[in-house]
Amino acid sequence: MLAELSIKNFAIIESLSLSFEKGLTVLTGETGAGKSIIIDAIHLLIGGRGSAEFVRYGETKAEIEGLFLLEQDDHPCYSKCAELGIDISDGMIVLRRELTINGKSVCRVNGKLVTIATLREIGSTLVDIHGQHEHQELLDENKHLYLLDEYGGERVRDALEEYKALYAAYERVKRQLQKLNENEQQMAHRLDLLTFQLDEIQKAELQLDEDEQLMEERRKIVNFQKIYEALQSSYEALYGEQRGLDWIGLAMNHLDHVSEIDSSLKQAQEVVSNCYYLLEEVAHQLREQLDQLEYDPLRLDEIESRLNEINHLKRKYGQTVRDILEYAAKVEEEIETIQHRDDHIHKLQTELQSITADLLVEAKHISELRMQYAKQLIDDIHQELKDLYMEKTTFDVVFRKRQGTYDDPLLDGTPVKLQADGMDEVEFYISTNPGEPLKPLAKVASGGELSRMMLALKSIFSKHQGVTSIIFDEVDTGVSGRVAQAIAEKIYRVARHSQVLCISHLPQVAAMADTHLFIAKETIDGRTKTTVEALNEEEKINEISRMISGVEITELTKQHARELLQLAAKTKNETA
């Protein structure tokens, strides 16, 4: 749940800190007081699109921070944060977003800097916002399949995962076949190019790590004089009369004589003796290297020429010799494939037939699952609509197979188009009046009916989803009377499964609130400021009275408000 929200310099909000409780929290107030601005801030916090216009006039940046409590150990936010390398401790996650006047955003999750895309991924597991225009999703038939799959839950998701793995193989083999079926002229040109490239690489007779070895040899030749002088000086410092080894040998002899007299000198004698013989071996090695040193300017020319040849190949085929050799192996494989194209085409066609057969089986299985859950969804929707006084409305889920072309697989003799989510097209149909035929939802439902349809779907989906908080922003627009009461009760039932924040102008919804926040604005020193106040019982009565009457609060409207609160309390007890 969303436990704390801090907003600074956002639109008309100077500074605001809010604490939220479980259950249903209703936000009310006059139009323009800043109710929707708070929702806009939450939307921005979970990765919504930002704009410099959100920054309060005269300030350089807006700051929004929210603390969320994860009460379920299997909450999807845990796995999402684990994927992204973000730690969660004590079941708490803090989202923070800063928006500057130049439109740039800085986003953090539990103190770690993240991109807006990452913030959006995490935010989608925490908050689900539904505005008064959110029902537009219901009008988009492309979203109906997704909604049905969400309803199907784990069984549909698991089936889709298996299907998608096969579909990826299906697409890969199709691409390979398409490439091999290119026209003869293109294939001939490709073969000529590949043959030239392979011949050029093979003629170079490259050896693994050859370039590094040549560069090492070049360094030695270029620095010949420096190496020779260092070896000569080192050898002369060690070997010869009155040189280093001579003095160490003298010390070794002296210690050898006295160590037999004083046993405590035995260790020193052994150390000096070991050093002497080690240095003597080094001196011999230095002498051998001096004898072998030879400056060869012709060899330097050979190395430079070879390195230039290798660098030429690197510019064309890879950054290292290993890359060039790997590229040559791929070219050789492709040449072999082109030269034996017919064999490969036959092999891929056989593989594609096998994958397609399996893919159609999986696609049919998913379709059967969807139809099974569609029947359940229809029953659930009808029950929800009945509760919302739309009992005469008929809802249906219409299935169609995506029509394919001649090169698509056949199902019962008809080509079907397979995509990453299967072969089904799904659209919601309704009839709001008895005797009227079912028509697409987008062409029939009014604004109030769409609000109730969306609420019915959300009532169902809230039981299946792990979203921490659900926000309804004036979804009760266009309804009144007993429908308003039904919507209030429905929103309250959703709040039993998830924390719900609801902006409403309906007194029936306000009466059902577990927590009632009143949003107001005032002018101080010529600047508008938004304030939020949690209402007590008497203040709730006054606010609901204002919502009923519009302007003047009378004893009659207060009495009506008390009746609404009593009715709400009774409904809550029956729902518990």
Side-chain angles (χ1 to χ4, degrees), residues 372-450:
Q372 176 185 333
Y373 282 107
K375 290 178 182 178
Q376 294 181 25
L377 179 62
I378 290 168
D379 291 340
D380 286 350
I381 288 288
H382 282 152
Q383 183 57 51
E384 295 291 334
L385 292 176
K386 183 179 179 182
D387 295 342
L388 293 167
Y389 296 101
M390 292 178 71
E391 63 275 2
K392 294 181 181 180
T393 296
T394 303
F395 175 84
D396 196 12
V397 180
V398 175
F399 281 81
R400 289 185 288 270
K401 295 290 182 288
R402 292 193 181 103
Q403 292 186 350
T405 58
Y406 69 93
D407 58 343
D408 285 313
L410 297 176
L411 181 67
D412 300 329
T414 304
V416 292
K417 182 71 174 176
L418 295 173
Q419 293 185 351
D421 56 0
M423 60 183 176
D424 299 315
E425 290 181 345
V426 167
E427 188 172 4
F428 295 160
Y429 274 56
I430 67 167
S431 171
T432 55
N433 297 298
E436 292 294 322
L438 287 163
K439 294 181 180 179
L441 180 64
K443 297 179 180 178
V444 178
S446 66
E449 288 168 338
L450 280 173

Coordinates of all heavy atoms in Angstrom, one line a residue, residues 372-450:
Q372 N -12.6 -21.0 -22.4 CA -13.1 -21.5 -21.1 C -13.2 -20.3 -20.1 O -14.2 -20.2 -19.4 CB -12.1 -22.5 -20.6 CG -12.4 -23.1 -19.2 CD -11.3 -24.0 -18.7 OE1 -10.6 -24.7 -19.5 NE2 -11.1 -24.1 -17.4
Y373 N -12.1 -19.5 -20.1 CA -12.2 -18.4 -19.2 C -13.1 -17.3 -19.7 O -13.6 -16.5 -18.8 CB -10.7 -17.8 -19.0 CG -9.9 -18.6 -18.0 CD1 -8.9 -19.4 -18.5 CD2 -10.2 -18.6 -16.7 CE1 -8.2 -20.2 -17.6 CE2 -9.5 -19.4 -15.8 CZ -8.5 -20.2 -16.3 OH -7.7 -21.0 -15.4
A374 N -13.3 -17.2 -21.0 CA -14.3 -16.2 -21.5 C -15.7 -16.5 -20.9 O -16.4 -15.5 -20.6 CB -14.3 -16.2 -23.0
K375 N -16.1 -17.8 -20.8 CA -17.4 -18.1 -20.3 C -17.5 -17.7 -18.8 O -18.5 -17.1 -18.4 CB -17.6 -19.6 -20.4 CG -17.8 -20.1 -21.9 CD -17.9 -21.6 -21.9 CE -18.1 -22.1 -23.4 NZ -18.2 -23.6 -23.5
Q376 N -16.4 -17.9 -18.1 CA -16.4 -17.5 -16.7 C -16.5 -16.0 -16.6 O -17.2 -15.4 -15.7 CB -15.1 -18.0 -16.0 CG -15.0 -19.5 -15.8 CD -13.8 -19.9 -15.1 OE1 -13.2 -19.2 -14.3 NE2 -13.3 -21.2 -15.4
L377 N -15.7 -15.3 -17.4 CA -15.7 -13.8 -17.4 C -17.1 -13.3 -17.7 O -17.6 -12.3 -17.1 CB -14.7 -13.3 -18.4 CG -14.6 -11.8 -18.5 CD1 -14.2 -11.1 -17.2 CD2 -13.6 -11.3 -19.6
I378 N -17.8 -13.9 -18.7 CA -19.1 -13.4 -19.0 C -20.1 -13.6 -17.8 O -20.8 -12.6 -17.5 CB -19.7 -14.3 -20.2 CG1 -18.9 -13.9 -21.5 CG2 -21.2 -14.0 -20.4 CD1 -19.1 -14.9 -22.7
D379 N -20.0 -14.7 -17.1 CA -20.8 -14.9 -15.9 C -20.5 -13.9 -14.9 O -21.4 -13.3 -14.2 CB -20.7 -16.3 -15.4 CG -21.2 -17.4 -16.3 OD1 -22.1 -17.0 -17.2 OD2 -20.8 -18.6 -16.2
D380 N -19.2 -13.7 -14.6 CA -18.8 -12.7 -13.6 C -19.2 -11.3 -13.9 O -19.7 -10.5 -13.1 CB -17.3 -12.8 -13.4 CG -16.8 -14.0 -12.6 OD1 -17.7 -14.7 -12.1 OD2 -15.6 -14.3 -12.6
I381 N -19.0 -10.9 -15.2 CA -19.4 -9.6 -15.7 C -20.9 -9.4 -15.5 O -21.4 -8.3 -15.0 CB -19.0 -9.3 -17.1 CG1 -17.5 -9.2 -17.2 CG2 -19.7 -8.1 -17.7 CD1 -16.9 -7.9 -16.7
H382 N -21.7 -10.4 -15.9 CA -23.2 -10.2 -15.7 C -23.6 -10.1 -14.3 O -24.5 -9.3 -13.9 CB -23.9 -11.5 -16.3 CG -24.0 -11.5 -17.8 ND1 -24.0 -12.6 -18.5 CD2 -24.0 -10.4 -18.7 CE1 -24.1 -12.3 -19.8 NE2 -24.1 -11.0 -19.9
Q383 N -22.9 -10.8 -13.3 CA -23.2 -10.6 -11.9 C -22.8 -9.2 -11.5 O -23.6 -8.5 -10.7 CB -22.4 -11.6 -11.1 CG -22.7 -11.6 -9.6 CD -24.2 -11.7 -9.3 OE1 -24.8 -12.7 -9.8 NE2 -24.8 -10.8 -8.5
E384 N -21.6 -8.7 -11.9 CA -21.2 -7.4 -11.5 C -22.1 -6.3 -12.1 O -22.5 -5.3 -11.4 CB -19.7 -7.1 -12.0 CG -18.7 -8.0 -11.4 CD -18.5 -7.6 -9.9 OE1 -18.7 -6.5 -9.5 OE2 -18.0 -8.5 -9.1
L385 N -22.5 -6.5 -13.3 CA -23.4 -5.5 -13.9 C -24.8 -5.5 -13.3 O -25.5 -4.5 -13.2 CB -23.6 -5.8 -15.4 CG -22.3 -5.6 -16.3 CD1 -22.6 -6.0 -17.7 CD2 -21.9 -4.1 -16.2
K386 N -25.2 -6.7 -12.8 CA -26.5 -6.8 -12.1 C -26.4 -5.9 -10.8 O -27.4 -5.2 -10.5 CB -26.8 -8.2 -11.8 CG -28.1 -8.4 -11.1 CD -28.4 -9.9 -10.8 CE -29.7 -10.1 -10.1 NZ -29.9 -11.6 -9.7
D387 N -25.3 -6.0 -10.1 CA -25.1 -5.2 -8.9 C -25.1 -3.7 -9.2 O -25.4 -2.9 -8.3 CB -23.7 -5.6 -8.2 CG -23.7 -7.0 -7.7 OD1 -24.8 -7.6 -7.6 OD2 -22.6 -7.6 -7.5
L388 N -24.7 -3.4 -10.5 CA -24.6 -2.0 -10.9 C -25.9 -1.5 -11.7 O -25.8 -0.5 -12.4 CB -23.4 -1.7 -11.7 CG -22.0 -1.9 -11.0 CD1 -20.9 -2.0 -11.9 CD2 -21.8 -0.7 -10.0
Y389 N -27.0 -2.3 -11.5 CA -28.3 -1.9 -12.1 C -28.2 -1.9 -13.7 O -28.8 -1.1 -14.3 CB -28.8 -0.6 -11.6 CG -29.1 -0.7 -10.1 CD1 -28.2 -0.1 -9.2 CD2 -30.3 -1.3 -9.7 CE1 -28.5 -0.2 -7.8 CE2 -30.6 -1.4 -8.3 CZ -29.7 -0.8 -7.4 OH -29.9 -0.9 -6.1
M390 N -27.4 -2.9 -14.2 CA -27.3 -3.1 -15.6 C -27.7 -4.5 -15.9 O -27.1 -5.2 -16.8 CB -25.9 -2.7 -16.2 CG -25.6 -1.3 -16.1 SD -23.9 -0.9 -16.7 CE -24.1 -1.2 -18.5
E391 N -28.7 -5.0 -15.2 CA -29.1 -6.5 -15.3 C -29.6 -6.8 -16.6 O -29.6 -8.0 -17.0 CB -30.1 -6.8 -14.2 CG -31.4 -6.1 -14.2 CD -31.4 -4.8 -13.5 OE1 -30.3 -4.4 -13.0 OE2 -32.5 -4.1 -13.5
K392 N -30.1 -5.9 -17.4 CA -30.7 -6.2 -18.7 C -29.6 -6.1 -19.8 O -29.9 -6.4 -21.0 CB -31.8 -5.1 -19.0 CG -33.0 -5.3 -18.1 CD -34.1 -4.3 -18.5 CE -35.3 -4.4 -17.6 NZ -36.4 -3.5 -17.9
T393 N -28.4 -5.8 -19.4 CA -27.3 -5.7 -20.3 C -26.7 -7.1 -20.6 O -26.5 -7.9 -19.6 CB -26.1 -4.8 -19.8 OG1 -26.7 -3.5 -19.7 CG2 -24.9 -4.9 -20.7
T394 N -26.5 -7.5 -21.8 CA -25.9 -8.8 -22.2 C -24.4 -8.5 -22.6 O -24.2 -7.6 -23.5 CB -26.7 -9.4 -23.3 OG1 -28.0 -9.6 -22.9 CG2 -26.1 -10.8 -23.7
F395 N -23.5 -9.3 -22.1 CA -22.1 -9.1 -22.4 C -21.6 -10.4 -23.0 O -22.0 -11.5 -22.6 CB -21.3 -8.8 -21.1 CG -19.8 -8.8 -21.3 CD1 -19.2 -7.6 -21.7 CD2 -19.0 -9.9 -21.0 CE1 -17.8 -7.6 -21.9 CE2 -17.7 -9.9 -21.2 CZ -17.0 -8.7 -21.6
D396 N -20.8 -10.3 -24.0 CA -20.2 -11.5 -24.7 C -18.8 -11.2 -25.1 O -18.4 -10.0 -25.3 CB -21.1 -11.9 -25.9 CG -20.8 -13.3 -26.4 OD1 -20.1 -14.0 -25.6 OD2 -21.2 -13.7 -27.5
V397 N -18.0 -12.3 -25.2 CA -16.6 -12.2 -25.7 C -16.6 -12.9 -27.1 O -16.9 -14.1 -27.2 CB -15.6 -12.9 -24.8 CG1 -14.2 -12.8 -25.3 CG2 -15.7 -12.3 -23.4
V398 N -16.4 -12.2 -28.1 CA -16.4 -12.7 -29.5 C -15.0 -13.1 -29.9 O -14.1 -12.3 -29.9 CB -17.1 -11.7 -30.5 CG1 -17.0 -12.2 -31.9 CG2 -18.5 -11.4 -30.1
F399 N -14.9 -14.3 -30.4 CA -13.6 -14.8 -30.9 C -13.5 -14.9 -32.4 O -14.5 -15.2 -33.1 CB -13.3 -16.2 -30.4 CG -12.8 -16.3 -29.0 CD1 -13.7 -16.2 -27.9 CD2 -11.5 -16.4 -28.6 CE1 -13.3 -16.3 -26.6 CE2 -11.1 -16.5 -27.3 CZ -12.0 -16.4 -26.3
R400 N -12.4 -14.5 -33.0 CA -12.1 -14.7 -34.4 C -10.7 -15.1 -34.6 O -9.8 -14.7 -33.8 CB -12.3 -13.3 -35.2 CG -13.7 -12.9 -35.3 CD -13.8 -11.6 -36.1 NE -13.3 -10.5 -35.4 CZ -14.0 -9.7 -34.7 NH1 -15.3 -9.9 -34.5 NH2 -13.5 -8.6 -34.0
K401 N -10.4 -16.0 -35.6 CA -9.1 -16.4 -35.9 C -8.5 -15.3 -36.8 O -9.1 -14.8 -37.7 CB -9.1 -17.7 -36.6 CG -9.5 -18.9 -35.7 CD -8.5 -19.2 -34.6 CE -9.0 -20.3 -33.8 NZ -10.1 -20.0 -32.9
R402 N -7.2 -15.0 -36.6 CA -6.6 -14.0 -37.4 C -6.4 -14.6 -38.8 O -5.8 -15.6 -39.0 CB -5.2 -13.6 -36.9 CG -5.2 -12.8 -35.6 CD -3.9 -12.2 -35.2 NE -3.9 -11.5 -34.0 CZ -3.4 -11.9 -32.8 NH1 -2.9 -13.1 -32.8 NH2 -3.5 -11.2 -31.7
Q403 N -6.9 -13.8 -39.8 CA -6.8 -14.4 -41.2 C -5.4 -14.3 -41.7 O -4.8 -13.2 -41.7 CB -7.8 -13.6 -42.1 CG -9.3 -13.8 -41.7 CD -10.2 -13.1 -42.7 OE1 -9.8 -12.3 -43.6 NE2 -11.5 -13.4 -42.6
G404 N -5.0 -15.4 -42.3 CA -3.6 -15.4 -42.9 C -3.6 -15.4 -44.4 O -4.7 -15.2 -45.0
T405 N -2.5 -15.5 -45.0 CA -2.3 -15.5 -46.4 C -1.9 -16.9 -46.9 O -1.7 -17.8 -46.0 CB -1.3 -14.5 -46.9 OG1 0.0 -14.7 -46.2 CG2 -1.8 -13.1 -46.5
Y406 N -1.5 -17.1 -48.1 CA -1.2 -18.4 -48.7 C 0.0 -19.0 -48.1 O 0.1 -20.2 -48.0 CB -1.0 -18.3 -50.2 CG 0.2 -17.5 -50.6 CD1 1.4 -18.2 -50.8 CD2 0.2 -16.1 -50.7 CE1 2.6 -17.5 -51.2 CE2 1.3 -15.4 -51.1 CZ 2.5 -16.1 -51.3 OH 3.7 -15.4 -51.6
D407 N 0.9 -18.2 -47.5 CA 2.2 -18.8 -47.0 C 2.1 -19.0 -45.5 O 3.0 -19.4 -44.8 CB 3.4 -17.9 -47.3 CG 3.2 -16.5 -46.8 OD1 2.1 -16.1 -46.4 OD2 4.2 -15.7 -46.7
D408 N 0.9 -18.7 -44.9 CA 0.7 -19.0 -43.4 C 0.2 -20.4 -43.2 O -0.4 -21.0 -44.2 CB -0.3 -18.0 -42.9 CG 0.3 -16.6 -42.7 OD1 1.4 -16.5 -42.1 OD2 -0.4 -15.6 -43.1
P409 N 0.3 -21.0 -42.0 CA -0.1 -22.3 -41.8 C -1.6 -22.5 -41.9 O -2.4 -21.5 -41.6 CB 0.4 -22.6 -40.3 CG 0.6 -21.3 -39.7 CD 1.0 -20.4 -40.8
L410 N -2.1 -23.7 -42.2 CA -3.5 -24.0 -42.3 C -4.1 -24.6 -41.1 O -3.5 -25.5 -40.4 CB -3.7 -24.9 -43.5 CG -3.3 -24.4 -44.9 CD1 -3.5 -25.6 -45.9 CD2 -4.1 -23.2 -45.3
L411 N -5.2 -24.1 -40.7 CA -6.0 -24.7 -39.6 C -7.4 -25.0 -40.1 O -8.1 -24.1 -40.5 CB -6.1 -23.7 -38.4 CG -6.8 -24.2 -37.2 CD1 -6.1 -25.4 -36.5 CD2 -7.0 -23.1 -36.2
D412 N -7.7 -26.3 -40.2 CA -9.0 -26.8 -40.7 C -9.2 -26.3 -42.2 O -10.2 -25.8 -42.6 CB -10.2 -26.3 -39.9 CG -10.1 -26.9 -38.5 OD1 -9.5 -28.0 -38.3 OD2 -10.5 -26.2 -37.5
G413 N -8.0 -26.2 -42.9 CA -8.1 -25.8 -44.3 C -8.0 -24.4 -44.6 O -8.0 -23.9 -45.7
T414 N -8.0 -23.5 -43.5 CA -8.0 -22.1 -43.7 C -6.7 -21.5 -43.1 O -6.3 -21.9 -42.0 CB -9.2 -21.5 -42.9 OG1 -10.4 -22.0 -43.3 CG2 -9.2 -19.9 -43.1
P415 N -6.0 -20.6 -43.9 CA -4.8 -20.1 -43.4 C -5.0 -19.1 -42.2 O -6.0 -18.3 -42.2 CB -4.2 -19.3 -44.6 CG -5.4 -19.0 -45.5 CD -6.3 -20.2 -45.3
V416 N -4.2 -19.3 -41.2 CA -4.3 -18.4 -40.0 C -3.0 -17.7 -39.7 O -1.9 -18.2 -40.0 CB -4.7 -19.2 -38.7 CG1 -6.1 -19.7 -38.9 CG2 -3.8 -20.3 -38.4
K417 N -3.1 -16.5 -39.2 CA -1.9 -15.7 -38.9 C -1.5 -15.9 -37.5 O -2.3 -15.6 -36.6 CB -2.2 -14.2 -39.1 CG -1.0 -13.3 -38.9 CD 0.0 -13.4 -40.0 CE 1.1 -12.4 -39.8 NZ 2.2 -12.6 -40.9
L418 N -0.3 -16.5 -37.3 CA 0.2 -16.8 -35.9 C 1.0 -15.6 -35.5 O 1.9 -15.1 -36.3 CB 1.0 -18.0 -35.9 CG 0.3 -19.4 -36.2 CD1 1.2 -20.5 -36.3 CD2 -0.8 -19.6 -35.1
Q419 N 0.8 -15.1 -34.3 CA 1.6 -14.0 -33.8 C 2.1 -14.4 -32.4 O 1.8 -15.5 -31.9 CB 0.8 -12.7 -33.7 CG 0.4 -12.2 -35.1 CD -0.3 -10.8 -35.1 OE1 -0.7 -10.3 -34.1 NE2 -0.5 -10.2 -36.3
A420 N 2.8 -13.5 -31.7 CA 3.4 -13.8 -30.5 C 2.4 -14.1 -29.4 O 2.8 -14.8 -28.4 CB 4.3 -12.7 -30.0
D421 N 1.2 -13.7 -29.5 CA 0.2 -14.0 -28.5 C -0.9 -15.0 -29.0 O -1.9 -15.1 -28.4 CB -0.5 -12.7 -28.1 CG -1.2 -11.9 -29.2 OD1 -1.1 -12.4 -30.4 OD2 -1.8 -10.9 -29.0
G422 N -0.6 -15.7 -30.0 CA -1.5 -16.7 -30.5 C -2.1 -16.4 -31.8 O -1.6 -15.6 -32.6
M423 N -3.3 -17.0 -32.1 CA -4.0 -16.7 -33.3 C -5.3 -16.1 -33.2 O -6.1 -16.0 -34.1 CB -4.1 -18.1 -34.1 CG -4.9 -19.1 -33.3 SD -5.0 -20.7 -34.3 CE -5.9 -21.7 -33.1
D424 N -5.7 -15.7 -31.9 CA -7.0 -15.2 -31.6 C -7.1 -13.7 -31.7 O -6.2 -13.0 -31.4 CB -7.4 -15.6 -30.2 CG -7.5 -17.1 -30.0 OD1 -8.0 -17.8 -30.9 OD2 -7.0 -17.6 -29.0
E425 N -8.3 -13.3 -32.2 CA -8.7 -11.9 -32.1 C -9.9 -11.9 -31.2 O -10.8 -12.7 -31.4 CB -9.0 -11.3 -33.4 CG -7.8 -11.0 -34.3 CD -8.2 -10.4 -35.6 OE1 -9.4 -10.4 -36.0 OE2 -7.3 -9.9 -36.3
V426 N -9.9 -11.0 -30.2 CA -11.0 -11.0 -29.2 C -11.6 -9.6 -29.1 O -10.8 -8.6 -29.1 CB -10.5 -11.5 -27.8 CG1 -11.5 -11.2 -26.7 CG2 -10.2 -13.0 -27.8
E427 N -12.9 -9.6 -29.0 CA -13.6 -8.3 -28.9 C -14.8 -8.4 -28.0 O -15.5 -9.4 -28.0 CB -14.0 -7.7 -30.3 CG -14.5 -6.3 -30.2 CD -14.8 -5.7 -31.5 OE1 -14.6 -6.4 -32.6 OE2 -15.1 -4.5 -31.6
F428 N -15.0 -7.4 -27.1 CA -16.1 -7.4 -26.2 C -17.3 -6.8 -26.9 O -17.2 -5.8 -27.5 CB -15.8 -6.6 -24.9 CG -14.7 -7.2 -24.1 CD1 -14.0 -6.4 -23.2 CD2 -14.3 -8.5 -24.2 CE1 -13.0 -6.9 -22.4 CE2 -13.3 -9.1 -23.4 CZ -12.6 -8.2 -22.5
Y429 N -18.4 -7.6 -26.8 CA -19.7 -7.1 -27.4 C -20.7 -7.0 -26.2 O -20.7 -7.7 -25.3 CB -20.2 -8.1 -28.4 CG -19.7 -8.0 -29.8 CD1 -18.3 -8.0 -30.1 CD2 -20.6 -7.8 -30.9 CE1 -17.9 -7.8 -31.4 CE2 -20.1 -7.7 -32.2 CZ -18.8 -7.7 -32.4 OH -18.3 -7.6 -33.7
I430 N -21.6 -6.0 -26.4 CA -22.7 -5.9 -25.4 C -24.0 -5.5 -26.1 O -24.0 -4.9 -27.2 CB -22.4 -4.8 -24.3 CG1 -22.3 -3.4 -24.9 CG2 -21.2 -5.2 -23.5 CD1 -22.4 -2.3 -23.8
S431 N -25.1 -5.7 -25.4 CA -26.4 -5.2 -25.8 C -27.0 -4.7 -24.5 O -27.2 -5.4 -23.5 CB -27.3 -6.3 -26.4 OG -28.6 -5.8 -26.5
T432 N -27.3 -3.3 -24.5 CA -27.8 -2.7 -23.3 C -29.3 -2.8 -23.1 O -29.8 -2.4 -22.1 CB -27.3 -1.2 -23.2 OG1 -27.7 -0.6 -24.4 CG2 -25.8 -1.1 -23.1
N433 N -30.0 -3.2 -24.2 CA -31.4 -3.2 -24.1 C -31.9 -4.6 -24.7 O -31.4 -5.1 -25.7 CB -32.1 -2.1 -25.0 CG -31.7 -0.7 -24.4 OD1 -32.0 -0.4 -23.3 ND2 -31.0 0.0 -25.2
P434 N -32.9 -5.2 -24.0 CA -33.4 -6.5 -24.5 C -33.9 -6.4 -25.9 O -34.6 -5.4 -26.3 CB -34.6 -6.7 -23.5 CG -34.3 -5.9 -22.3 CD -33.6 -4.7 -22.8
G435 N -33.7 -7.4 -26.7 CA -34.2 -7.4 -28.1 C -33.2 -6.8 -29.0 O -33.3 -7.0 -30.2
E436 N -32.2 -6.1 -28.5 CA -31.2 -5.4 -29.4 C -30.1 -6.4 -29.7 O -29.7 -7.1 -28.7 CB -30.7 -4.1 -28.8 CG -31.7 -3.0 -28.7 CD -32.1 -2.5 -30.1 OE1 -31.3 -2.5 -31.0 OE2 -33.3 -2.3 -30.3
P437 N -29.5 -6.4 -30.9 CA -28.4 -7.4 -31.1 C -27.2 -6.9 -30.4 O -27.0 -5.8 -30.1 CB -28.3 -7.3 -32.7 CG -28.8 -5.9 -33.0 CD -29.9 -5.6 -32.1
L438 N -26.3 -7.9 -30.2 CA -25.0 -7.6 -29.6 C -24.1 -6.8 -30.6 O -24.1 -7.1 -31.8 CB -24.2 -8.9 -29.2 CG -24.8 -9.6 -28.0 CD1 -24.2 -11.1 -28.0 CD2 -24.3 -8.9 -26.7
K439 N -23.5 -5.8 -30.1 CA -22.6 -4.9 -31.0 C -21.3 -4.7 -30.2 O -21.3 -4.8 -29.0 CB -23.3 -3.6 -31.3 CG -24.6 -3.8 -32.2 CD -25.2 -2.4 -32.5 CE -26.4 -2.5 -33.4 NZ -27.0 -1.2 -33.7
P440 N -20.3 -4.3 -31.0 CA -19.0 -3.9 -30.3 C -19.2 -2.9 -29.2 O -20.0 -2.0 -29.3 CB -18.1 -3.4 -31.4 CG -18.7 -4.0 -32.7 CD -20.2 -4.1 -32.4
L441 N -18.5 -3.1 -28.1 CA -18.7 -2.3 -26.9 C -18.5 -0.8 -27.2 O -19.2 0.1 -26.7 CB -17.6 -2.7 -25.8 CG -17.6 -2.0 -24.5 CD1 -18.9 -2.1 -23.8 CD2 -16.4 -2.5 -23.7
A442 N -17.5 -0.5 -28.1 CA -17.2 0.9 -28.4 C -18.3 1.6 -29.1 O -18.4 2.8 -29.1 CB -15.9 0.9 -29.3
K443 N -19.2 0.8 -29.8 CA -20.3 1.5 -30.6 C -21.6 1.6 -29.9 O -22.6 2.1 -30.4 CB -20.5 0.7 -31.9 CG -19.2 0.7 -32.8 CD -19.5 -0.2 -34.0 CE -18.2 -0.2 -34.9 NZ -18.4 -1.0 -36.1
V444 N -21.7 1.0 -28.7 CA -23.0 0.9 -28.0 C -23.0 1.7 -26.7 O -24.0 2.5 -26.5 CB -23.4 -0.5 -27.7 CG1 -24.7 -0.6 -27.0 CG2 -23.4 -1.3 -29.1
A445 N -22.0 1.5 -25.9 CA -22.1 2.0 -24.5 C -22.0 3.5 -24.4 O -21.2 4.2 -25.1 CB -21.0 1.4 -23.6
S446 N -22.8 4.1 -23.5 CA -22.7 5.5 -23.1 C -21.6 5.7 -22.1 O -21.0 4.8 -21.6 CB -24.0 6.0 -22.6 OG -24.2 5.4 -21.3
G447 N -21.3 7.0 -21.8 CA -20.2 7.3 -20.8 C -20.5 6.7 -19.5 O -19.6 6.1 -18.9
G448 N -21.7 6.8 -18.9 CA -22.0 6.2 -17.6 C -21.9 4.7 -17.7 O -21.5 4.0 -16.7
E449 N -22.4 4.1 -18.8 CA -22.3 2.6 -19.0 C -20.8 2.2 -19.0 O -20.5 1.1 -18.5 CB -23.1 2.2 -20.2 CG -24.6 2.3 -20.0 CD -25.3 2.2 -21.3 OE1 -24.7 2.4 -22.4 OE2 -26.5 1.8 -21.3
L450 N -20.0 2.9 -19.7 CA -18.6 2.6 -19.8 C -17.9 2.6 -18.4 O -17.1 1.8 -18.1 CB -17.9 3.5 -20.8 CG -18.1 3.2 -22.3 CD1 -17.5 4.2 -23.1 CD2 -17.4 1.8 -22.6

